[in-house]
Every structure is written in C-alpha cells, then in structure tokens.
C-alpha cells in the first residue's frame, strides 16, 4: 500500500469497449455481466439480470402479450442457479409486459430478495393483476400462472420508493428517476463498487397532456440499458399526431360508423380520453355521438391518478385546482357489451390494446365487415397479435371461433405510444455519455438499425444487442481507495511510506485503522484469543530448562503457588509464552495467539514431545545453573529418599548459593554478548557482499567507513546505526541492515519490534486520552487516501 494524494480517474475504463473480459490480471468479480431473459431482441416479457462483484439485480419481470401460460414468462430456467442469490427486483412500471410475472417469480421460484416499485406502480399493479387473474380464470384455467393468493403475497413483499429517493441494500445503492411513459414509471440507477448502471425501462422524454417527460440523471453512467422499441423511427410532433387522431375518429362517426379504439386499461388510455373530451367540447356537432370507455378497472384506478396528481405535469396540476381533469363531460363508462346499445355512430375505447382477446376483440369481430366502421390503433403492437396483423390490411381475418370473415373497416395507425424514438434516444445518450450501451425491448431488425445509427453517431460508444439468455460481459476494475482514520494519521505518511493497521471493508468502502480505534469508527470489537494446551511430561525440570535455554534467548524463571500450597516452576519465553511445570505429570502452555507466538509454540511443543519421547538424546546444562530446588523435581514416591539426601547437601548448598547466582548471571551475559557478536559478524559480512569492502576505523574496529564515488557513510556496528550526508545512501544502508538483522534472528527481532510497537501504542493511547473525545471524528479533510495494490 502506498500513500496517494488524490483519487485517480474512475472512468479510465471508458476507453475499453469490451464484449469479453481482457485476458490476464482480471478477477472474476471484475466482470459485469448483463443477461436479458426477456426483451432481448424482442418486445415483451421485459426481464434483465445484472451480476457484478457478487451482487445480483433483476430489472422488470413481465409476460409476453402474444403468448399465454408458461410460454409467456421470461426464460427463468436459464438463470435457475442465480435466482436464490438475486438481491433486488426493480420493477419500472405497471404494464403487464414489465410486471405481470412478479407474482409467479416471487411465489413460485427460490427468489428471496427484495422488490421495489414506485407508489403509483404498486397501487395500479395490484388492481391490474387482480383483473388479469379474473380474466385468466374465465378464459384459460389450465394456463393460469398464479392466483389471487400469489398476487397478495407478492404485494406484501413489494416495497415502495419515491423519485430521487436513495435506497441501499447489501452494498447496492439504488436511486429511481422519473421515466415519463405512464404514471409512476421509473428509471433505476444502481451503483455497485463505484460502477453506475442505469436501466431506463420504457421511457419518454416528451411531455404530454398529463405526464412530464423523463428526467436525465445528473451523474456519470458507466453502463446504460435502454429500450429500443421504435429503433430509428421518429415520432411526429404531438400536435400533428393529436390532429391526425381526432380527424380519423371524426371521419368514421361522420359516415355513421362505429370507431373502435383498442387501448390498454391504463397509461395511454387516459391521454386519449383527455384529447377526445377536449375535442368533443370544441365541436358541438359531435355532442350526439357517445364516447364509451369500457373499463371498470380504469374507473377504479382513477382514484390513484387523483391521489398522485402531484407526480403529473404543471398543466394537469393547474387544471386540478379548478376541477378534476379526469372527470369527463362526454365520456361514459360502461361495464360491458351487454349494456351497450349498438345502434348509430359511436366511439368505443376497449381493452386490450393489441386485440388479443377480451372486449376489444369481440367488438372488432362484430364490426370488421362493415365499411362504415373504423379502428384506430393508437399504440405499439407486437408481432403475432391481431393489431399488428391488420396494419397490413389483409382481405380477411380469422375470428376466435376460427371462422374467416372479410375485413372491410378502415384501419388507421396513430402512434401515441409513450416510448422513446430515435431523436429522444440519441439526445439522451448524448447527455449522459455512457461508454457502454445495451439495447433491449426492441424488434431484432429495429434494434439492429438503431445500433448501426448509434455507432455511426457516437463513434466511441460500445453498443451491444444481446438476445434472450445470452450474456454480455464488461470489465470494470475501479481503483480501490482506503482512507486512514483515527490515531493512525497522527503523523501523516509521505510518499512510499508503509502504513500499518487493520483494513476494514464494508460495502466496497475501505478504511485503515489501528486496532485501538476499531470501536470508535466501526461496530466491530477487537478480541484477544488466548490459547492453553496441556502436554504430558514425566521428565525432570532440569532437562526441560536446559533444553529450552539452548534454543530461546529470552527466558525468565519464576514460581507460583498452587492450590495445595506447593510452589510450581514457571518459565516465560519472550514475555509472551508461559510454561507451567506440574512436577512429573505435565506442562501447561499458555499464550496470546498471533502469527509469531503460534509459530514459537509449535516449536516448543515439538521440543517437549522430543524430550518426553527420548530424554537420553538431550544434552543438559551444568546442574549448578538450576535455581529450582531439586525436591521439586521429585515424584511423591521418591520424596522420602530425597529428603535424607537433601539434608546432607544443605550445608554444601548454602556455601555454593552465592557462587551459583554469579555463575548464572555470567552465563546469561555471556550468551547475550555471544548473540550480539554473532549479529555484528553477520551484518559486516553481508554488507561487504552487497556493497564491497569497507575500511575499518583505525581507532575502533566496530566502525566501518564506506566510500564509493564520493558517496560516504560511517557504520557503527555496536549500535548498528549509519551516518551519511547523503540521505538516500543512508536510508539504503539502514534498510539493508534491518533486512540482515531480520534474517539473522527473525524471532528475536519480531518480538523486539512487537514490544516497541506496544510501547508506541501505549504512548499514543495516553496522548489520545488527554484530548477531548469530541475531537475524534470521521472528517474527510483529516483523512488520507491509500491506494490498495
């Protein structure tokens, strides 16, 4: 880790437009994978799975309008192993091709994540799918995907979110933005480990009579997943479109015909009702022609429109202050075809919008053979539906009862579909400048043409068009930055300084802290692992201490009282490892667990096991070095015999006691001096191998002089310090000495360093305690960025 004074550009990957990850140096979680399991090179059953850094997000979960039953669902089987791990399901709006598979997915798969929608979307979703269940019950029992109880369970699981509200879950940051299209439609921006992905769903940047246009997120976007419904087509201006629509309707009723307008219950229907009501008010000669709207569901949902009037545009909000714009003067709600008087001219709006079934299909089949009648298709129609078929004006059509009838009525197509056209899409991309664009929700041909046009217009943007169940992979390796906090920044580091601390990572945010600060800045607690191990040992204390002193150079001997009043010998190694000698029975090892202590204890255990297995192979020290009474080495069976011998030796022992202490001290000093001389010899030898011959000082053999091309330095071998006017040379030789010492005596130096660090930590803690606790803050201007390599 190196000190870094600034954040590096996060968007360096913008210049790498990758369909597949680069080879070499790429971790698995650096790959962002996008898989459409619906809406890939098709319109319908929108469903896109995104995977990155171990996180999984699904966008939308709809059915295909041209199919029914299981075949209308997204290809869930292609992601079966991913479903239990999906963190979030984000539903953009209430239309069936984006939301109708949610009850199935939530209730009949292994999905355990969270589901989010906007407030209006959830309200209308419940009403719309309740109606969908009723229709399914009537028409196709065998193909029912879910029932009312499944729908209710999904409603319990759905959480509501507002525009611009930020939600965070499991390291995934989510923000939703207004998408236009229909009431409550949202674009979702997610951020994972600094990479931002925007999913538009269906969106429209053009304001209409009641909805605002889609907003542009005010942030940099790394990947844009965008609809391509209309490809390179360009919508006609709103006023021209409205004029053509009202003219088409007027012409039909003027010739005493019946005008059918197939619509979806909610969305564009409300826009068309506003236009027709306003046109009828402006044309009194049409007041005798009734306008019917056959949708009890839409009437129910009008309450939702009134509730969320604040999410509509200024025009509707201003009108609402005077009167409710959705209470129409010339439009009658009708429950069904039974109460409809089918005589004379009329305008009839009925669902569904693509004439697949239901009331709109019944009326079409009844009226299609009369040339006075007409049908106006106001929205996008999917391949395979009757609405799409009649646009080619065939001579006849096949009714639901498989009878062919002539098609004589006029067919008009006026697109009120609130989807983005080529101008809106290219303007949107121009504004947010994403390096990667993934096209979904579009016919394969339209999508291909759009891709070619976008590539020609934006030469640096990577445009991808995956098919269903096919993944695209993009590589993102955002720079990891760790901020130092707390006492670790008492002395700000310089370039190339090594920072020592604990790296704490949460949701892709990294901090470096000292162990003593963990509880101040995190919810974590520090714990000390203390280990205790009992080894069988029937040999004498004399053999044990003699063997240990041959291996370890920091040994202290002491005693402690046992429960029965006897004194037990205690051996402490490196002030860290405690050995308790239970006479003739066992040895108990106790130590605070860490890497070095564990390693030393492993060697002690091996040594004790060897002594116990073959004590005769061990060379012991002179018995005079033992300061533990011989009686403590004896077993209970030998005590009586040893007492007699001990009495005879007491006089001799008193005379030798002072001598024994002196011998022991001289032995320890001699061993320490020997270690130091060995270290000095090794340092001198290895320095000469690295830098060449040194000149020994005439007056002091422990001082070396180094001179190379006028670069001079003096090395004091007794203190292992360096003097030099050249700071680079001084640092270089000091580093060499540190490495040599570490390699010559790693265990001793590790413990010396640890003791020094402990002293420093105690000193820092003492200083910190003198400061007011309120000064401990996670302030950005007091933190230092560390680049993690």
């Amino acid at each position: 880790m190196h000190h870094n004074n600034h954040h590096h550009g996060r968007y360096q990957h913008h210049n790498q437009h990758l369909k597949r990850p680069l080879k070499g140096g790429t971790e698995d979680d650096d790959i962002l994978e996008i898989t459409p399991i619906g809406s890939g090179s098709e319109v319908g059953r929108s469903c896109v799975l995104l995977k990155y850094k171990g996180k999984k997000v699904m966008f939308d979960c709809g059915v295909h309008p041209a199919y029914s039953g299981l075949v209308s669902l997204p290809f869930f089987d292609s992601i079966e192993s991913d479903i239990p791990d999906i963190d979030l399901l984000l539903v953009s709006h209430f239309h069936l091709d984006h939301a109708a598979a949610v009850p199935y997915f939530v209730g009949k798969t292994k999905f355990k994540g969270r589901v989010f929608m906007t407030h209006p979307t959830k309200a209308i979703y419940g009403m719309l799918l309740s109606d969908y269940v009723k229709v399914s019950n009537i028409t196709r029992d065998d193909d029912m995907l879910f029932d009312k109880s499944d729908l209710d369970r999904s409603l319990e699981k759905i959480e509501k979110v507002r525009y611009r509200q930020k939600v965070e879950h499991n390291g995934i940051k989510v923000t939703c933005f207004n998408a236009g299209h229909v009431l409550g439609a949202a674009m979702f921006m997610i951020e994972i480990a600094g990479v931002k992905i925007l999913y538009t769903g269906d969106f429209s940047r053009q304001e209409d009579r009641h909805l605002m246009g889609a907003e542009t997120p005010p942030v940099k976007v790394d990947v844009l997943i965008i609809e391509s419904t209309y490809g390179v087509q360009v919508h006609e201006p709103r006023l021209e479109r409205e004029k053509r629509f009202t003219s088409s309707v007027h012409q039909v009723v003027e010739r005493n015909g019946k005008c059918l307008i197939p619509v979806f219950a909610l969305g564009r229907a409300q826009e068309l009702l506003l236009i027709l009501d306003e046109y009828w008010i402006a044309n009194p000669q049409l007041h005798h022609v009734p306008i019917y709207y056959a949708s009890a569901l839409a009437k129910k949902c009008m309450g939702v429109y009134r509730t969320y009037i604040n999410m509509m545009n200024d025009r509707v909000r201003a009108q609402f202050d005077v009167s409710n714009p959705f209470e129409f003067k010339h439009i009658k709600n009708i429950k069904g075809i039974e109460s409809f008087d089918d005589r004379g001219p009329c305008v009839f709006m009925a669902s569904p919008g693509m004439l697949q079934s239901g009331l709109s299909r019944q009326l079409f089949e009844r009226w299609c053979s009369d040339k006075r009648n007409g049908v106006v298709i106001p929205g996008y129609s999917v391949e395979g539906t009757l609405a799409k078929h009649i646009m080619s004006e065939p001579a006849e059509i096949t009714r639901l009862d498989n009878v062919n009838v002539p098609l004589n009525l006029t067919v008009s197509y006026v697109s009120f579909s609130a989807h983005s056209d080529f101008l809106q899409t290219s303007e949107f991309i121009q504004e947010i400048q994403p390096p990667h664009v993934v096209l979904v929700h579009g016919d394969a041909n339209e999508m291909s043409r759009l891709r070619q046009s976008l590539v020609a217009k934006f030469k640096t943007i990577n445009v991808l068009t995956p098919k269903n169940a096919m993944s695209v992979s993009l590589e993102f390796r955002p720079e990891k930055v760790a901020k130092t906090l707390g006492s670790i920044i008492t002395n700000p580091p310089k370039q190339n300084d090594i920072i020592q601390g604990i790296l704490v990572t949460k949701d892709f945010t990294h901090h470096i802290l000292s162990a003593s600060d963990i509880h101040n800045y995190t919810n974590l607690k520090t714990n000390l692992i203390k280990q205790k191990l009992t080894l069988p040992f029937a040999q004498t204390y004399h053999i044990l201490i003699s063997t240990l002193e041959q291996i370890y150079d920091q040994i202290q001997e002491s005693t402690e009282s046992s429960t029965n009043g006897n004194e037990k010998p205690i051996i402490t190694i490196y002030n860290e490892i405690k050995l308790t000698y239970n006479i003739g029975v066992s040895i108990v090892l106790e130590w605070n667990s860490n890497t070095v202590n564990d390693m030393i204890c492993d060697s002690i255990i091996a040594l004790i096991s060897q002594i116990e297995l073959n004590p005769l192979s061990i060379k012991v020290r002179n018995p005079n070095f033992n300061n533990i009474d011989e009686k403590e080495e004896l077993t209970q069976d030998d005590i009586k015999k040893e007492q007699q011998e001990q009495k005879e030796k007491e006089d001799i022992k008193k005379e030798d006691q002072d001598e024994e202490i002196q011998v022991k001290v001289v032995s320890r000093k001699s061993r320490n001096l020997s270690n130091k001389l060995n270290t000095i010899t090794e340092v001198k030898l290895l320095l000469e191998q690295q830098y060449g011959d040194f000149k020994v000082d005439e007056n002091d053999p422990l001082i070396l002089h180094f001179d190379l091309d006028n670069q001079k330095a003096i090395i004091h071998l007794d203190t292992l310090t360096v003097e030099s006017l050249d700071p680079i040379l001084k640092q270089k030789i000091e580093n060499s000495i540190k490495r040599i010492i570490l390699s010559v005596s790693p265990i001793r130096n590790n413990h010396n360093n640890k003791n020094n660090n402990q002293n420093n930590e105690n000193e820092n803690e003492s200083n910190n305690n003198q400061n007011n606790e309120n000064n401990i803050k996670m302030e950005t201007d007091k933190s230092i960025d560390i680049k993690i390599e």
Side-chain angles (χ1 to χ4, degrees):
M1 291 181 287
H2 298 286
H3 175 230
N4 181 30
N5 288 318
H6 62 280
H7 289 283
H8 289 272
R10 183 166 286 172
Y11 300 96
Q12 293 174 353
H13 57 269
H14 283 187
N15 294 325
Q16 301 172 4
H17 307 315
L18 307 171
K19 291 188 180 180
R20 287 174 293 278
L22 288 173
K23 292 182 179 178
T26 301
E27 298 177 14
D28 288 343
D29 67 353
D30 287 335
I31 303 302
L32 186 149
E33 191 176 281
I34 298 169
T35 309
I37 57 170
S39 71
S41 294
E42 68 172 2
V43 177
R45 59 179 160 207
S46 287
C47 194
V48 179
L49 179 65
L50 179 142
K51 296 190 285 186
Y52 184 53
K53 295 287 183 185
K55 312 300 180 185
K56 298 179 183 180
V57 179
M58 180 178 281
F59 299 104
D60 281 338
C61 193
V63 297
H64 198 295
Y67 308 114
S68 62
L70 291 173
V71 293
S72 69
L73 289 172
F75 297 97
F76 293 136
D77 54 337
S78 67
I79 60 159
E80 190 172 358
S81 61
D82 292 310
I83 291 176
D85 302 321
I86 293 175
D87 298 282
L88 296 173
L89 168 56
L90 307 175
V91 179
S92 64
H93 63 287
F94 55 73
H95 278 156
L96 297 181
D97 62 327
H98 290 259
V102 170
Y104 180 92
F105 186 68
V106 169
K108 300 190 177 185
T109 70
K110 295 179 180 178
F111 172 71
K112 303 183 188 73
R114 297 170 71 183
V115 186
F116 285 97
M117 298 177 180
T118 63
H119 291 251
T121 299
K122 181 178 179 180
I124 297 174
Y125 161 89
M127 297 177 186
L128 199 61
L129 289 195
S130 181
D131 187 66
Y132 180 84
V133 169
K134 289 176 187 174
V135 172
S136 297
N137 275 328
I138 295 168
T139 58
R140 42 182 190 272
D141 290 333
D142 295 339
D143 288 338
M144 277 189 66
L145 295 173
F146 54 86
D147 56 24
K148 185 68 166 61
S149 62
D150 295 322
L151 174 59
D152 292 341
R153 280 193 293 272
S154 74
L155 284 165
E156 290 172 8
K157 193 172 179 65
I158 293 167
E159 300 174 59
K160 294 179 284 190
V161 64
R162 300 183 304 276
Y163 291 151
R164 297 296 184 108
Q165 180 183 347
K166 294 182 179 178
V167 177
E168 190 162 346
H169 170 69
N170 195 24
I172 306 167
K173 298 175 183 177
V174 181
T175 311
C176 78
F177 299 92
N178 176 30
H181 190 61
V182 293
L183 179 64
M187 297 186 282
F188 285 102
M189 169 81 76
I190 68 164
E191 181 179 346
I192 303 173
V195 176
K196 296 182 177 69
I197 303 99
L198 178 64
Y199 174 78
T200 66
D202 292 350
F203 78 110
S204 173
R205 287 165 59 84
Q206 189 176 66
E207 184 171 312
D208 58 25
R209 286 175 175 262
H210 71 296
L211 292 177
M212 294 179 283
E215 61 183 317
T216 303
V219 292
K220 284 275 189 181
V221 174
D222 297 290
V223 181
L224 174 65
I225 305 172
I226 189 170
E227 70 150 314
S228 54
T229 315
Y230 279 91
V232 294
Q233 297 179 44
V234 177
H235 296 324
E236 62 186 316
R238 183 172 67 88
L239 293 178
E240 290 181 21
R241 180 177 62 197
E242 290 181 4
K243 183 177 180 182
R244 198 156 63 83
F245 170 71
T246 52
S247 296
S248 298
V249 174
H250 197 147
Q251 288 171 14
V252 174
V253 297
E254 208 170 32
R255 59 178 183 251
N256 288 322
K258 298 172 180 61
C259 182
L260 174 64
I261 306 173
V263 293
F264 290 107
L266 296 161
R268 292 301 84 199
Q270 282 63 45
E271 179 78 0
L272 298 176
L273 290 171
L274 288 169
I275 295 169
L276 285 174
D277 200 51
E278 186 179 294
Y279 187 76
W280 250 241
I281 291 170
N283 291 274
Q285 72 273 23
L286 297 175
H287 288 184
H288 69 285
V289 178
I291 303 174
Y292 297 108
Y293 183 31
S295 177
L297 172 64
K299 188 175 182 180
K300 231 188 290 182
C301 292
M302 279 299 104
V304 178
Y305 274 69
R306 286 191 290 271
T307 301
Y308 296 104
I309 197 81
N310 62 314
M311 297 179 75
M312 300 182 197
N313 59 26
D314 294 338
R315 180 179 180 276
V316 168
R317 288 204 298 270
Q319 191 176 341
F320 193 76
D321 291 337
V322 180
S323 63
N324 185 356
F326 295 104
E327 289 180 359
F328 305 108
K329 295 180 180 177
H330 296 279
I331 293 164
K332 300 174 184 176
N333 275 299
I334 189 169
K335 288 185 178 180
I337 200 168
E338 300 81 12
S339 57
F340 169 55
D341 182 9
D342 192 4
R343 291 180 296 178
C346 69
V347 179
F348 207 117
M349 293 178 66
S351 62
M354 299 186 195
L355 300 173
Q356 308 100 296
S357 57
L359 183 56
S360 64
R361 180 65 174 259
Q362 286 179 269
L363 291 173
F364 179 80
E365 291 181 357
R366 181 188 294 187
W367 294 344
C368 68
S369 299
D370 190 337
K371 63 181 180 181
R372 292 176 301 171
N373 301 331
V375 61
V376 179
I377 309 291
Y380 185 87
S381 298
V382 175
E383 286 291 343
T385 60
L386 180 61
K388 184 72 172 178
H389 177 59
I390 63 173
M391 285 186 196
S392 60
E393 297 186 1
E396 57 182 28
I397 59 106
T398 304
R399 297 190 319 206
L400 287 174
D401 59 4
N402 291 322
V403 175
N404 290 338
V405 293
L407 180 68
N408 294 326
L409 55 62
T410 58
V411 179
S412 304
Y413 172 61
V414 183
S415 176
F416 279 89
S417 183
H419 289 271
S420 176
D421 65 358
F422 177 71
L423 289 180
Q424 293 179 42
T425 299
S426 55
E427 284 173 6
F428 189 66
I429 293 172
Q430 179 72 49
E431 287 181 23
I432 63 175
Q433 288 289 313
H436 305 282
V437 174
V438 179
L439 301 181
V440 294
H441 198 280
D443 173 77
N445 294 328
E446 290 289 349
M447 191 180 284
S448 177
R449 285 193 285 269
L450 177 59
R451 180 186 178 279
Q452 291 172 8
S453 298
L454 292 176
V455 168
K457 186 176 177 69
F458 306 103
K459 302 196 185 314
T460 60
I461 290 180
N462 178 32
V463 183
L464 304 167
T465 57
K467 292 181 170 59
N468 282 333
M470 291 181 63
S471 301
V472 293
S473 298
L474 305 169
E475 182 187 16
F476 290 91
R477 282 188 281 182
E479 205 167 57
K480 294 184 178 73
V481 174
K483 292 190 174 182
T484 54
L485 296 172
S487 59
I488 205 168
I489 57 170
T490 304
N491 297 313
K494 299 175 183 177
Q495 189 72 27
N496 296 325
D497 280 359
I498 295 175
I499 305 296
Q500 291 185 337
I502 297 173
L503 180 64
V504 180
T505 298
K506 183 184 178 185
D507 298 338
F508 310 109
T509 301
H510 311 282
H511 291 102
I512 299 175
L513 308 165
S514 70
S516 59
D517 285 328
I518 287 288
H519 67 283
N520 291 329
Y521 296 104
T522 72
N523 294 325
L524 303 173
K525 296 187 185 304
T526 53
N527 293 288
L528 188 65
I529 299 174
K530 191 165 186 174
Q531 299 210 52
K532 187 174 182 180
L533 183 67
T534 301
L535 298 169
F537 190 78
Q539 309 307 317
T540 65
Y541 179 86
H542 177 63
I543 292 178
L544 175 65
I545 188 64
S546 297
T547 308
L548 291 175
E549 284 188 334
Q550 293 177 49
I551 306 297
Y552 309 103
D553 58 356
Q554 290 185 22
I555 294 180
Q556 294 175 347
E557 297 176 66
S558 60
T559 61
E560 71 177 26
S561 298
S562 62
T563 53
N564 59 12
N566 293 331
E567 296 287 316
K568 287 187 177 181
I570 303 294
I571 301 171
T572 305
I573 301 176
Y574 296 122
N575 294 320
E576 291 284 340
I577 299 158
K578 176 183 175 184
L579 283 77
T580 303
Y581 176 68
N582 296 315
I583 300 169
V585 178
S586 64
I587 293 173
V588 178
L589 267 74
E590 297 175 82
W591 73 97
N592 293 331
S593 184
N594 60 47
T595 308
V596 176
N597 286 354
D598 291 350
M599 178 185 69
I600 297 171
C601 284
D602 285 344
S603 66
I604 293 171
I605 292 165
L607 191 63
I608 291 172
S609 300
Q610 183 184 354
I611 297 172
E612 179 69 4
L613 186 65
N614 190 3
L616 296 177
S617 67
I618 305 299
K619 292 182 180 179
V620 299
R621 70 178 183 182
N622 190 316
N624 287 335
F625 291 172
N626 183 22
N627 70 335
I628 304 298
D629 282 346
E630 191 68 27
K631 68 178 181 181
E632 292 180 345
E633 300 175 15
L634 303 177
T635 63
Q636 293 294 330
D637 296 335
D638 295 332
I639 287 177
K640 291 181 181 180
K641 182 180 177 182
E642 292 297 327
Q643 281 177 343
Q644 182 65 32
E645 293 178 4
Q646 186 65 29
K647 189 175 180 182
E648 295 172 0
K649 294 178 181 179
E650 272 185 1
D651 293 337
I652 300 172
K653 188 170 184 180
K654 285 179 181 178
E655 294 174 5
D656 293 343
Q657 191 171 17
D658 292 339
E659 183 182 352
E660 179 185 341
I661 293 170
Q662 291 174 8
V663 171
K664 180 178 175 184
V665 170
V666 169
S667 173
R668 290 279 170 85
K669 286 183 178 179
S670 175
R671 186 166 66 247
N672 290 337
L673 182 59
S674 175
N675 287 335
K676 185 171 182 179
L677 290 174
N678 286 339
T679 301
I680 289 172
T681 304
E682 293 288 348
V683 169
K684 183 175 181 298
L685 180 63
L686 293 172
L687 281 177
E688 287 179 342
Q689 288 180 6
Q690 185 172 353
Y691 295 98
D693 291 335
F694 286 79
K695 183 180 178 183
V696 180
D697 191 87
E698 295 177 357
N699 300 318
D700 189 343
L702 293 180
I703 295 177
L704 302 179
H705 294 272
F706 174 76
D707 188 350
L708 177 64
D709 298 333
N710 293 324
Q711 289 182 309
K712 297 181 179 181
I714 299 174
I715 295 98
H716 297 271
L717 292 176
D718 56 342
T719 58
L720 297 176
T721 56
V722 181
E723 293 180 26
S724 178
L725 296 176
D726 186 334
I728 296 175
L729 177 63
K730 181 175 182 291
Q731 183 68 45
K732 188 175 180 181
I733 297 176
E734 284 177 346
N735 289 341
S736 297
I737 292 173
K738 286 178 185 176
R739 285 194 294 270
I740 292 167
I741 293 171
L742 192 61
S743 63
V744 168
S745 184
I747 294 176
R748 181 167 64 250
N749 280 287
N750 266 323
H751 276 277
N752 289 340
N753 289 339
K754 182 171 181 180
N755 291 335
N756 291 335
N757 289 338
Q758 184 66 44
N759 293 335
N760 291 336
E761 283 189 14
N762 292 338
E763 186 179 341
N764 286 337
E765 188 172 348
S766 175
N767 292 334
N768 288 341
N769 289 338
Q770 293 173 9
N771 296 328
N772 190 312
E773 289 184 1
N774 293 330
N775 291 333
I776 302 176
K777 297 178 182 177
M778 292 176 64
E779 296 185 72
T780 306
D781 58 343
K782 292 184 180 179
S783 65
I784 297 167
D785 296 344
I786 305 297
K787 178 180 176 185
I788 303 174
E789 294 183 342

